[in-house]
Every structure is written in structure tokens, then in C-alpha cells.
Amino acid sequence: MDMTTDRPAARRGRPRRGETEARRAAILDAAIAQLAEHGFAGTTIEGVAAAAGATKRTIYSHFTDKPGLFLAAVERLHRHEQEGLHAGADLEEVATRVVRTLHGDDAVTLHRLVIAESRQLPRLAADFYERGPARTVEVLATLLAAEHPDLDALPERAEELYTLLLGEPHRRRLLGLEPAPSAGRARAQARRAIRTVLGRAPA
């Protein structure tokens, strides 16, 4: 009797969700590395595919084109804020995440690139703002409203808070003058920003 007939057949068909997410993450990691090294114009789908060990077809099916790949990387950076909101994180926790993420190497790389390309690719710049900073401001406004319902001029306060969470430290990061902040520095900056916006120490 051929015992190989008792073995389960090799799994075929669509990859599992975890495999798909891991593949997507690997492609985005490769894309950011390529963008950091070659710039937006010098980065190619072929180069990203080779770096990620993926096919061009896979990249096109997931991201459509190079701007789609760039914007997916932007959305991934800001996803943690929505996740924190849904998980019940408080304003200080989310604000700290914002500082750590947006002052991090990946975010700084993407921010530099979109500034450099904004005149030639205004649509990319607009989409970057909508899918990145604008979504973060919405999350901050939601948390401010929930924790401080008496606060007036909420949209403006949320924008002010976002601005302070970047601040001069973020400018120095863009210029390559200092490293990404530690967890302690990020939380301290978040607390100062919240205190400034509220006009008092956070509860």
C-alpha cells in the first residue's frame, strides 16, 4: 500500500490572512527602504519587488501603482491611532504614540519625500495629508471631546495639539539633527502638548 496517499494534500488556493498581511508588510518595508535610498522618482516597482522577494504582479494587485504603495505606507503609520482609539486608549497614550510614530525613521522618510514631490505631484501631497495628518487630527478631536466635553473650539484645539506633537523636535528630525525620541521623551512631549492645549495639567 502506498502510504503517501494518507498524507494530506498540499494546501493550495488563497493564502491565509496572516500570510497576506505578512507579505503586505514586507512589501511596505521594502518600499520605504527603497524610497529612503533612491527617492520617489528613483524608486521602481521592480526594485521594490526584488527587495521584498515578491512579484510585480503581487505589488500591483495590492497597491495599484507607486503612489498607491506610498500612500499605503502612510496609512500603516497612522493605523495605530485608530487602533488605540478602538482599544480604549486615553488621550495621553494616543498622543504618545503619535510622537513616537511620526518622529520615527519611516515617517520622517515619507514626510521628506512628499515635501520634495509636492509641487510635481500635488495629488500625492493632498492624499498624504488626508490619509495621514487629517486622520490623526480627527482621532485627537474624538478623544478631546470624550475626555473634556466642556472644551470649546474643538477642531482648532485638535489641530493645535497635533502641531505641538510634532513641533520643533520634528523639524530637527526632518533635518537629520537628532535621533528619534525615546519612549520617555515622547511621553513628556505628549504631556506638554496636552497641557498647553487644555491650559491645565491633564486629568
Side-chain angles (χ1 to χ4, degrees), residues 179-192:
S182 65
R185 281 180 57 203
R187 186 168 294 276
Q189 183 172 342
R191 285 175 174 170
R192 287 195 302 271

Side-chain angles (χ1 to χ4, degrees), residues 1-8:
M1 180 177 177
D2 183 2
M3 297 301 293
T4 61
T5 59
D6 294 332
R7 296 175 184 172

